[in-house]
């Protein structure tokens, strides 16, 4: 399923799904199907991934005319981040593509050696923003604002000490994150100030459930800045794939439904360019991941 959190000029944020170029309200669909369903993404994830099959079966049994009263044309919906306010920090993975390791070593004083374990950091829930919103450039904090397109994994059930062979069983679905980074805000090797400022995690536009993506380790991902391509790669080039990450992370701490893992970015960030490039007021950044879509954000100096 293609799930989204949306709102209209007349509504608060709502959970929906895409069907035949319509946004169908999830709670209303549950009402007409006599199958109670929630009005927000986290509550849906809490029901377990099995609910997706049940909803899919109900959709197949529903007449097109019955969708009319509970849906709106897609262009009338404002897409919010799929999970507008995560319960916990987003889990970020650094230096997870070989060429990005090399460019970071040249420009950011990180090690040129490939990591032997995943490099883990986090981004607070307040970093999350939606497509078609502003990324804030605070000159009091940074003059080196950078971009990073990433595939994000949304966890679907609680897991501790998850073996990599079972890891994808714990996935609910996938979305896109732009891991915005202020390169001059790292503190003694710590990244949270660099990665954790408000609006530094544009997310969306939708959450695609895992049944629609047969192989998450073969997805093209790319980024453009003002229409010019800056990043273009494929998730098959991750150093630590999703199975590796879930095994490692669940050894460190318990993964829970709704947790989000941003799986790292390929080469092509601004810091790795010669000369270096930084985001400026008015810049438009577009991130695309195959089978999910694109998010687009404008930089706004404050």
């Amino acid at each position: 399923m293609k799930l989204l959190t949306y709102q209209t000029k007349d509504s608060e944020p709502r959970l929906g799904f895409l069907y035949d170029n319509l946004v169908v309200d999830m709670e209303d669909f549950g009402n007409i199907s006599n199958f109670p369903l929630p009005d927000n993404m986290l509550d849906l994830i809490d029901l377990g991934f099995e609910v997706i099959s049940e909803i899919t079966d109900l959709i197949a049994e529903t007449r097109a005319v019955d969708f009319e009263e509970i849906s709106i044309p897609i262009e009338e919906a404002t897409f919010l981040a799929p999970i507008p306010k995560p319960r916990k920090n987003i889990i970020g993975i650094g230096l997870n593509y070989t060429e990005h390791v090399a460019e970071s070593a040249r420009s950011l004083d990180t090690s040129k050696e490939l990591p032997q374990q995943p490099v883990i950091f986090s981004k607070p829930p307040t970093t999350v923003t939606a497509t078609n919103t502003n990324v804030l450039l605070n000159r009091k904090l940074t003059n080196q604002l950078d971009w990073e397109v990433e595939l994000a994994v949304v966890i679907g059930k609680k897991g501790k000490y998850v073996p990599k062979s079972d890891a994808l069983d714990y996935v609910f679905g996938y979305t896109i994150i732009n891991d915005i980074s202020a390169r001059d805000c790292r503190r003694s090797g710590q990244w949270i100030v660099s990665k954790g400022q408000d609006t530094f995690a544009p997310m969306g536009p939708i959450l695609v459930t895992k049944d629609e993506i047969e192989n998450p380790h073969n997805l093209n991902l790319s980024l453009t800045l003002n229409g010019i391509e800056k990043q273009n790669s494929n998730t098959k080039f991750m150093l630590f794939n999703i199975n590796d990450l879930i095994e490692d992370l669940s050894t460190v701490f318990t993964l829970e439904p709704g947790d989000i893992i941003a799986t790292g970015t390929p080469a092509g960030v601004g810091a790795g360019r010669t000369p270096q490039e930084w985001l400026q007021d008015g810049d438009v950044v577009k991130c695309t991941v195959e089978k999910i879509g694109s998010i687009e954000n404008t930089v706004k100096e404050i």
Side-chain angles (χ1 to χ4, degrees):
M1 293 189 72
K2 294 178 172 63
L3 302 168
L4 73 156
T5 300
Y6 76 100
Q7 66 182 141
T8 69
K9 60 183 180 179
D10 300 318
S11 78
E12 294 296 314
R14 302 279 296 173
L15 174 64
F17 61 90
L18 299 183
Y19 174 80
D20 197 22
N21 212 35
L22 297 171
V23 173
V24 181
D25 188 89
M26 184 67 79
E27 184 179 36
D28 290 346
F29 177 72
N31 290 337
I32 70 166
S33 302
N34 197 29
F35 185 78
L37 290 168
D39 64 359
N40 68 89
M41 191 74 74
L42 287 172
D43 283 353
L44 181 72
I45 294 170
D46 285 343
L47 293 177
F49 185 76
E50 295 74 20
V51 76
I52 298 301
S53 294
E54 298 181 71
I55 296 170
T56 301
D57 289 343
L58 290 171
I59 291 171
E61 297 168 3
T62 303
R63 301 176 304 167
V65 66
D66 294 327
F67 284 110
E68 292 181 4
E69 295 295 320
I70 59 168
S71 63
I72 59 173
I74 195 168
E75 59 270 14
E76 294 182 11
T78 297
F79 282 56
L80 306 179
I83 302 176
K85 189 169 184 179
R87 293 171 178 143
K88 299 188 295 190
N89 283 18
I90 295 167
I91 304 162
I93 306 298
L95 306 172
N96 201 28
Y97 286 76
T98 304
E99 292 181 357
H100 182 53
V101 172
E103 71 177 358
S104 295
R106 291 193 305 268
S107 57
L108 295 172
D109 301 321
T110 54
S111 174
K112 64 181 180 180
E113 303 299 326
L114 296 182
Q116 298 304 300
Q117 296 175 298
V119 177
I120 303 168
F121 62 93
S122 74
K123 299 171 78 80
T126 45
T127 57
V128 172
T129 190
T131 187
N132 298 318
T133 63
N134 292 328
V135 169
L136 301 180
L137 169 55
N138 186 346
R139 292 291 187 188
K140 294 180 180 178
L141 292 172
T142 182
N143 288 300
Q144 297 183 358
L145 198 65
D146 208 345
W147 59 81
E148 295 189 7
V149 61
E150 308 199 4
L151 173 69
V153 178
V154 179
I155 295 298
K157 64 179 181 179
K158 186 175 182 179
K160 182 67 175 174
Y161 303 116
V162 177
K164 67 176 65 178
S165 58
D166 298 337
L168 295 184
D169 294 341
Y170 290 77
V171 173
F172 188 84
Y174 305 95
T175 188
I176 303 168
I177 282 180
N178 187 351
D179 177 17
I180 299 291
S181 306
R183 303 299 187 188
D184 48 358
C185 288
R186 292 174 296 151
R187 297 183 180 179
S188 300
Q190 297 297 314
W191 295 2
I192 194 164
V193 179
S194 169
K195 304 280 196 175
Q197 297 174 37
D198 292 356
T199 73
F200 276 22
M203 182 196 301
I206 59 175
L207 189 161
V208 178
T209 55
K210 65 180 178 181
D211 55 305
E212 293 208 5
I213 297 180
E214 182 178 357
N215 182 8
H217 301 123
N218 188 19
L219 298 175
N220 293 325
L221 68 169
S222 60
L223 180 146
T224 63
L225 173 61
N226 301 323
I228 300 172
E229 186 174 273
K230 300 296 182 180
Q231 292 181 279
N232 191 329
S233 189
N234 189 287
T235 56
K236 67 185 177 183
F237 297 118
M238 289 181 189
L239 291 174
F240 302 101
N241 68 23
I242 295 165
N243 302 66
D244 298 326
L245 294 175
I246 289 175
E247 180 182 64
D248 184 71
L249 292 168
S250 68
T251 301
V252 179
F253 45 74
T254 301
L255 293 173
E256 297 181 311
D259 283 355
I260 302 165
I261 305 168
T263 58
T265 199
V269 300
R273 295 180 171 271
T274 305
Q276 291 179 322
E277 297 181 31
W278 309 117
L279 293 171
Q280 305 297 328
D281 185 50
D283 282 348
V284 177
V285 187
K286 183 177 182 180
C287 298
T288 301
V289 177
E290 184 181 358
K291 298 185 183 296
I292 300 174
S294 300
I295 56 173
E296 186 172 294
N297 299 88
T298 302
V299 178
K300 182 176 178 59
E301 186 172 335
I302 58 173

